[in-house]
Amino acid sequence: MAVAEVDKPALDWRQALKSRLEAVASQKAKKTDQELKDNEMDLFTKYYIEWRGGRKKNNLSYKSIPRFYYRLPAEDEILLQKLREESRAVFLQRKSRELLDNEELQNLWFLLDKHQTPPLIGEEAMINYENFLEVKEKAGQKCKQFFAAKIFAKLLHNDPYGRISIMQFFNYVMRKVWLHQTRIGLSLYDVAGQGYLRESDLENYILELIPTLPQLDGLEKSFYSFYVCTAVRKFFFFLDPLRTGKIKIQDILACSFLDDLLELRDEELSKESQESNWFSAPSALRVYGQYLNLDKDHNGMLSKEELSRYGTGTLTGVFLDRVFQECLTYDGEMAIQEQMKLHGQEPVSFQDVKDEIFDMVKPKDPYKITLQDLISSGQGDTVSSILIDLNGFWTYENREVLVANDNDGSADLDDS
């Protein structure tokens, strides 16, 4: 009994607490959703007013946030348009003056060479971080942006003395300067001032670029329009897959097309390089000749029937249909098995071809092949030729025989 009497107050306290909690829970349950929302809004309003009052005491408010949106002037706002164009021109001129000129680049090379760090390994001059910083102080304000620690770290490889190649660093600087120069040059043709070029903008850029490319000196002026068209289509085919009619300047700089185009500034460009360069005069003339040969009715456009004669006339109907679905046309201007029957060859099993293609590509999803799968596999050209051209398919199917014949021919030459 004594134990029971001692424990009774504790039990009464626990019971009272339990009852209170049940009462609170019951009271909360009786509140409607609207009441809960009202309570939340009251609390929010209370704290927001207190916060705003504190901001006002410090003379701060939302009005202190700087303006970040400016609408483009309308077509009839001539004065605003002119003001915008002039301000952009001044901005681009200022950016251009910030770039290293030829004299400053030569001075940078001289300083780097003067501060190279021994010992000399091979023929490549090297520089350590201490001398790197010393060149930074002597090279001038324009150069300081290139002498960051992270740039040195990126160029640091396996040198046992912790040095980087002077030539690699200088090439990095040259590349950055070239990119900024080209960015500014392209921006001059950006009529909208929004960081992209429309088709007409890019046409104007390339047309005015032609006289500065010695490798195009032989082109007749009457051929300029076709050349510009083929060059621009190369950019838009790859850089505007959604057919928006515009390309980001950033994307133009990131791809290699502009490098190929500006390679034509080299007066001593080899014949092999010209043949492999899409923008060279021989390449443009070759495309033009093929186009004229296909255009049987001489109306300046290719119909589906005319395009089907391309090469050896073995393009599949499915491929041609897809081309005309995707590309701009005017008035209407497994397929491999059909082509094989048409040319008297024994058709192959679709399942066999499908299995071979999947084995080549090794896609992430075993049930489909994406564009990224093709790119990653490095087999995109082979797969495309198998699916769209009978000759490409035949070459792939008989690759072992062809290799064996080549080896036999080589052996005969060796014997002779």
Side-chain angles (χ1 to χ4, degrees), residues 47-93:
Y47 291 122
Y48 177 73
I49 291 175
E50 290 177 358
W51 171 82
R52 192 174 180 185
R55 299 275 289 181
K56 285 185 174 181
K57 289 177 183 178
N58 296 321
N59 295 322
L60 297 173
S61 71
Y62 68 92
K63 293 181 180 179
S64 64
I65 300 175
R67 184 177 178 182
F68 56 87
Y69 172 74
Y70 296 86
R71 71 174 181 83
L72 294 176
E75 293 183 3
D76 58 342
E77 295 176 321
I78 307 299
L79 186 60
L80 288 178
Q81 286 187 345
K82 291 294 182 183
L83 177 61
R84 189 167 185 271
E85 290 175 9
E86 287 298 321
S87 62
R88 285 187 67 245
V90 171
F91 170 76
L92 293 175
Q93 288 174 3

Side-chain angles (χ1 to χ4, degrees), residues 235-267:
F235 281 92
F236 272 82
F237 180 81
F238 288 100
L239 302 182
D240 183 29
L242 299 181
R243 306 297 183 261
T244 62
K246 57 187 180 182
I247 305 174
K248 288 182 179 179
I249 293 178
Q250 199 171 9
D251 291 341
I252 296 176
L253 294 172
C255 76
S256 62
F257 301 156
L258 205 56
D259 290 334
D260 294 339
L261 181 60
L262 297 178
E263 184 183 42
L264 302 179
R265 288 175 173 171
D266 185 0
E267 296 182 5

Side-chain angles (χ1 to χ4, degrees), residues 282-318:
S283 177
L285 291 169
R286 183 171 60 251
V287 172
Y288 185 62
Q290 292 173 338
Y291 190 90
L292 291 180
N293 289 334
L294 292 172
D295 185 18
K296 297 299 182 183
D297 56 10
H298 306 293
N299 68 344
M301 295 180 289
L302 296 183
S303 65
K304 192 183 298 184
E305 182 183 356
E306 289 171 331
L307 184 59
S308 68
R309 300 192 189 98
Y310 176 77
T312 55
T314 53
L315 293 176
T316 66
V318 172

Side-chain angles (χ1 to χ4, degrees), residues 340 348 353 356 392-401:
M340 296 186 79
V348 296
V353 176
E356 284 203 46
F393 178 83
W394 185 89
T395 301
Y396 177 76
E397 279 293 291
N398 296 275
R399 61 193 181 282
E400 295 178 359
V401 176

Side-chain angles (χ1 to χ4, degrees), residues 14-31:
R14 290 187 183 125
Q15 187 63 38
L17 178 60
K18 181 179 179 182
S19 301
R20 179 57 180 163
L21 291 174
E22 290 176 352
V24 171
S26 176
Q27 186 178 4
K28 286 186 176 180
K30 291 179 181 178
K31 286 188 177 181

